[in-house]
Amino acid sequence: MTEQSIPGSPGIPGSPIAVGSPQLAPAPFAAELQPVIELMGRNPPPPMTEENLRTGGTASGPGFPDGAGAAEGRPVTAEELVIPGPAGAPDLEITVFRPEQPDAEGDPLPALVNFHGGGMIVGHRSWEHGRVVDLVERHGFVGANVEYRLAPEHPFPAGVDDAYAATAWVAEHAAELGADPERLVVMGGSAGGGLAAAVSLMARDRGGPRIAGQLLLCPMLDNTNTTPSSLQYDGIGTWTRDANLLAWRCVLGAVLAHSEQAPAYAAPSRAADLSGLPPAFIEAGSAEMFRDEDVDYASRIWATGGDAELHIWAGGFHGFDVYAPDSELARAALASRDSWLSRIVGTAPTAPPAGGAGMGGFAA
């Protein structure tokens, strides 16, 4: 396999841009996941470019049910709401899921605010309705699934401002939602995990809302693309280096896309201070490009005396729980998330996980 390098992007001499074959030998995929990754390799999605992102739309597409469809047959209700966006910005759409039967003691329920994946450039909240419904059913959460603005049409800070505004709204309206604002968890996978981490930084810096925990699933944190794992998964796996480079260019623009001077609320790895954050659950696969930035983020939280739980799943590719929900690896990962949530907000899951439902075709 040959390597093809592209010189630094405009305004950033020597920025680490490369496409093609892995530049370092990749860690192997788990044997039970190998058939899945091979099948996806034979049926790759069309390449993404900034041009086709601008013209292709971000609709959920067939196969992703709306809130009512995701809750159908489950002891969960769905409500579509339009809430105020950030100051001067459009309103936000969110889907709120609640247990069909309220708490027997009439106590408020823990709250969960989810941000979908898609590299901050594609996606729709319906991709992850299934994931949120599972947690609402099993843990008794009031779950809010958030629609946020996407790059390149809406570059930073649009998406993270939307995410913060939605989180603050849920906290402020907790009583009418039947939720406990003292037990509010933010979560997301990939880009959504990066947004959840950024919202946690913003809430710390702005004095609220109070966040009880941040559930970061293979989070997209580091815009520089300089780690060994970012070089190992150049052209292989479910979310590849070229897609990640494109995503950061769309979010931050060419000058800041891969710069260490990028804002921390865009790329949480750029935060100089990770002290005072809510407890974090951070997971990734060993065979994905976000592995090293996620390990580094957990290590830096620990270095401040903070609380983080880190899981690196051997042989897991990016979004393995979504693409292979019946694998032993996915079952172990979901059980670990359940355990952490139970310890953070005092819930006890009522049924086994249903699998990594509904992140869609782009897991980042």
Side-chain angles (χ1 to χ4, degrees):
M1 295 185 291
T2 60
E3 296 179 8
Q4 177 185 2
S5 297
I6 300 174
S9 54
I12 319 174
S15 59
I17 308 283
V19 297
S21 306
Q23 299 165 64
L24 296 175
F29 299 116
E32 67 169 338
L33 302 181
Q34 192 67 39
V36 179
I37 206 76
E38 289 175 357
L39 178 62
M40 288 189 288
R42 291 194 295 270
N43 299 278
M48 289 186 293
T49 66
E50 186 168 343
E51 181 180 1
N52 67 29
L53 287 172
R54 289 184 184 277
T55 59
T58 57
S60 59
F64 299 107
D66 61 11
E72 186 175 1
R74 313 282 288 273
V76 173
T77 65
E79 182 180 11
E80 306 294 345
L81 297 177
V82 177
I83 65 172
D91 289 344
L92 303 175
E93 296 179 356
I94 67 172
T95 305
V96 177
F97 297 100
R98 300 180 183 86
E100 201 168 59
Q101 296 298 323
D103 181 83
E105 304 298 323
D107 294 330
L109 303 174
L112 179 76
V113 182
N114 182 72
F115 313 111
H116 67 77
M120 294 180 278
I121 56 176
V122 294
H124 190 269
R125 69 188 184 282
S126 62
W127 284 16
E128 298 186 17
H129 280 342
R131 168 177 280 171
V132 177
V133 167
D134 282 347
L135 292 172
V136 169
E137 179 179 359
R138 293 185 294 105
H139 286 269
F141 279 108
V142 172
N145 205 10
V146 177
E147 200 63 38
Y148 57 88
R149 288 171 290 170
L150 299 173
E153 296 92 337
H154 304 287
F156 175 82
V160 71
D161 281 353
D162 288 353
Y164 178 81
T167 305
W169 186 90
V170 169
E172 292 165 7
H173 294 79
E176 64 194 71
L177 295 172
D180 181 353
E182 297 298 310
R183 293 192 292 161
L184 187 154
V185 173
V186 292
M187 71 169 286
S190 199
L195 289 171
V199 166
S200 298
L201 288 167
M202 295 168 80
R204 178 200 65 182
D205 296 345
R206 298 177 181 182
R210 183 185 182 279
I211 294 175
Q214 46 181 329
L215 182 62
L216 312 180
L217 309 177
C218 52
M220 178 182 175
L221 303 171
D222 180 11
N223 64 303
T224 66
N225 294 273
T226 54
T227 65
S229 60
S230 74
L231 299 171
Q232 289 176 308
Y233 297 93
D234 187 355
I236 63 173
T238 52
W239 182 256
T240 58
R241 182 178 172 82
D242 58 343
N244 208 53
L245 294 168
L246 170 65
W248 284 117
R249 287 198 303 274
C250 290
V251 172
L252 288 169
V255 172
L256 288 177
H258 315 299
S259 169
E260 292 186 353
Q261 304 308 311
Y265 295 162
S269 287
R270 303 281 69 76
D273 179 13
L274 296 183
S275 65
L277 291 172
F281 179 100
I282 302 171
E283 77 162 43
S286 68
E288 67 160 292
M289 68 171 301
F290 293 157
R291 180 196 68 216
D292 294 343
E293 63 200 68
D294 294 350
V295 170
D296 176 71
Y297 203 72
S299 297
R300 291 178 56 209
I301 291 173
W302 292 324
T304 71
D307 184 345
E309 180 167 322
L310 173 67
H311 294 265
I312 300 297
W313 297 102
F317 54 74
H318 188 70
F320 64 88
D321 63 307
V322 175
Y323 294 102
D326 295 325
S327 65
E328 183 58 32
L329 205 61
R331 285 192 287 270
L334 291 166
S336 294
R337 297 174 201 173
D338 274 344
S339 173
W340 181 82
L341 285 168
S342 296
R343 286 176 275 132
I344 291 296
V345 296
T347 62
T350 58
M359 274 187 71
F362 294 93

